[in-house]
Amino acid sequence: MCGIVGFTGAAPAAPILLEGLRRLEYRGYDSAGVAVQHEGAIEMVKASGTVEHLAEMTSNGAALEGGCGIAHTRWATHGAPTDTNAHPHLSEDGRFAVVHNGIIENYAALRRELEGEGYSFASETDTEVVAHLLERYYDGDLRRAVMRTASRLEGSYVLGVLCACEPGRLFCVKEAGPLILGLGVDENYFASDVTALVGYTRNVIYLEDGEMAELTPESVTVYDRTGREIPKSVSHVVWDIEAAEKGGYEHFMMKEIMEQPRAVKSTIEPRIRSGRVELEGLDLTAEDFARFRRIVITACGSAYHAGMVGKYVIESLCRVPVEVDLASELRYRDPIVGEDTLLIVVSQSGETADTIAALRECKARGAYVLAIVNVVGSTIARLADCALYTHAGPEIAVATTKGYTTQLSALYLFAVWAAEKLGRIDEMRYNELVAELSALPARIQRAIDLNLHVKYLAGRWHAQRAMFFIGRNIDYAAALEGSLKLKEISYIHSEAYAAGELKHGTIALIDEGRLVVALCCQTALFEKMVGNIQEVKARGAKVLGLAPEGDRRIFAEADDVLFAPGGEPLFAAAPEIVPLQLFAYYVARENGCDIDKPRNLAKSVTVE
Ligand code: AGP
């Protein structure tokens, strides 16, 4: 979703800002723009289309002189993705430029008020009111003008502000949505995401909601809502720039699929010491645990699918009821959550607006919050009572792969840890599960190695108009994710169903030649799946079976076959998703789709 970058220093700002925007492209956007201070005025270039287009328009930034500026990639919400609606937006007198992420909910009332005072608007955006408010409130004190402007806004907003008459000075404001300050030597930055900063500095400050920062080349000062200066600690980012580059792969998605064994190892290995699962920071005792009568898992998209798998695994091992709820639903349904609830929040980015809102809602009702999150220092990590980081490294492709498998790994670790704390598994089973956890990276690597023919199968099936994914139990949860992978990057309509549900309606959709992907990795349910496979075949479907390696029974049932290495069935979702990720990838590639940046999607959904 929208990306923001700001820079102030001695170097020309525009090339640095453009490079920052390139690093934010993965978040999803449809227009881009840049504004710099130059000789007491603001120079601005913006257009719909790509950052590369913007770079061409500005000779890679060389056409814009000046060492202080702001830039933006916009994902349209209010108004179409046109040149005019692209950010930055200027005040009527041209002295203020503003970039904005989020939604200003009271913009219509503000716009009416400003129009009544004679301000005229150039765009359809909610953002433009900010530029006009700055002009109205500026009396020579930019900090006060920014504060007064922010106090008029309702909704979620992260702002970057540039003023023609304040050389080298930038302001940024955070009210829901990520914003990070980067500290350099005689130069400073802000950005929505550390990936925009790591090429320049690893020293960062994470801002909280209600905070505002003032940047000059020599200083960074953070204020609260009342304008009081507040001390902030500096964090060191461990990701390096290579981690956010393609490393020879055609797409980030393929790179990230291949990184999964290493990523899952980073999630699991540090947490197993001398054969015991140790979850640092999660210092709940067995007595603390006993107060939780239920566990609620909340998340969006693939993270929600990981939560579905978590439900099966936690309930099976811990015998505690687990509910999984979409964050966008949980936040508005007056949930039955209290001090007896352990809320597990799952998020790769840690910045998903609905997930943050659900977390806040449940925390206010007394729930204890455990976050399973990838991005260190993200909003979700900071709001939770404790965080279990997945350590997947930066995930750039919009379609999550290693984000999902590392979330599964964290949920498996938690389930084994909690089952032991609650005394629900004996020592033998515990040791067995710990060994299975340690073996997971190798199992995922084997899943990659086993499926070299996925490309060929994608060539066979890529022209399907629609596909179905079916499975039972954990296979059903994995089917949801396999189906989402396919639809989001290949635009082929696809649905996932609990296999036993087919005959309650969905089977009416099965027609001659329709592909049904049947997940059969829960060996105890294999025969049940055979029944469902036969049902769809009898109605003309073709079946792509996914079974544990070496289970030759699948050959008698399916037209084509994929394998996932066998092992503990409770942990099957992590290896079995790999061939489905590869299948989605190659189908999308066959169909010429923009794999890393699918249409209409954003990596980090920071608005509701
Ligand atoms: C899946 O490929 C998507 N990128 C999406 O469903 C994603 O999982 C969802 O938006 C949640 O994001 P989060 O993990 O960053 O909270």
Side-chain angles (χ1 to χ4, degrees), residues 436 443 521 523 548-549 564-572 575:
E436 286 283 351
R443 218 171 141 190
C521 294
T523 37
E549 182 180 7
E568 171 57 51
L570 278 179
F571 301 158

Side-chain angles (χ1 to χ4, degrees), residues 6 10 40 71 74 93 98 113 119 131 227 233 243 302 314 337 383 386 457 464 479 492 523 530 535 546 564 587:
R74 172 175 187 252
D93 63 8
V98 177
E113 179 185 318
Y119 288 93
S233 54
S302 296
I314 297 167
V337 164
L383 287 175
C386 58
L457 290 180
Q464 287 266 318
I492 292 174
T523 37
V530 169
E535 280 166 7
L546 171 54
V587 167

Side-chain angles (χ1 to χ4, degrees), residues 300-303 346-350 352 355 398-400 407 484-485 488 603 605:
C300 301
S302 296
V346 187
S347 175
Q348 187 283 127
S349 62
T352 303
T355 312
V398 165
T400 183
Q407 285 162 353
L484 177 61
K485 285 286 88 73
E488 69 182 327
K603 178 68 178 164
V605 185

Side-chain angles (χ1 to χ4, degrees), residues 36 133 161 169 215 229 274 285 374-375 416 434 444 482 530 569 580 582:
V36 295
L133 284 173
V161 173
R169 217 158 158 227
L215 287 79
E229 196 175 322
S274 314
T285 62
N374 187 34
V375 178
V416 174
V434 171
I444 291 173
V530 169
L580 301 184
L582 290 167

